[in-house]
Amino acid sequence: MIEVVATDEVGVDVASIERVLAWAAGRLDVRSASVGVMVVGPERMARINHEHRGIDRATDVLAFPLDGQEDLDGWPAEGPPPELGDVVICPDAADEPLTTLAIHGLL
């Protein structure tokens, strides 16, 4: 099972993002994992972008991977599922649909 935990700070319906990420992970043959998604405003995205990339402006999507494909291949069946990482999306900086950005962040 793919668990997508999405939080929204700007009034976006995150259900479609959760659905498309679960679908995309399944298409990538990821059967068990979790991924986090945050939908944030431009000020918060600019802070995150500055903190992690040294760039003082908002961007459309940032990804923070944890367990990669090489980890998934040998992941033990018992125990917690792997964590794919976190995806941060800023609708105000986006030119693409949020679901497209979410997939981009997952990949």
Side-chain angles (χ1 to χ4, degrees):
M1 178 178 98
I2 306 302
E3 179 185 17
V4 180
V5 179
T7 59
D8 168 53
E9 297 178 359
V10 296
V12 170
D13 179 16
V14 295
S16 61
I17 294 171
E18 292 172 332
R19 282 191 302 275
V20 78
L21 284 180
W23 171 84
R27 296 288 295 171
L28 293 168
D29 205 27
V30 176
R31 300 290 174 222
S32 177
S34 65
V35 62
V37 178
M38 291 173 43
V39 181
V40 300
E43 295 84 13
R44 179 134 189 230
M45 180 60 99
R47 284 194 308 272
I48 295 169
N49 202 16
H50 175 75
E51 180 179 328
H52 293 278
R53 297 177 61 218
I55 298 173
D56 291 323
R57 70 180 190 313
T59 189
D60 55 357
V61 62
L62 291 171
F64 301 95
L66 292 176
D67 298 321
Q69 187 62 45
E70 64 280 355
D71 299 313
L72 299 180
D73 292 339
W75 200 269
E78 66 283 345
E83 294 183 29
L84 300 179
D86 293 311
V87 178
V88 184
I89 300 170
C90 178
D92 288 351
D95 291 329
E96 300 289 331
L98 301 185
T99 52
T100 300
L101 296 174
I103 292 173
H104 173 77
L106 177 68
L107 297 175

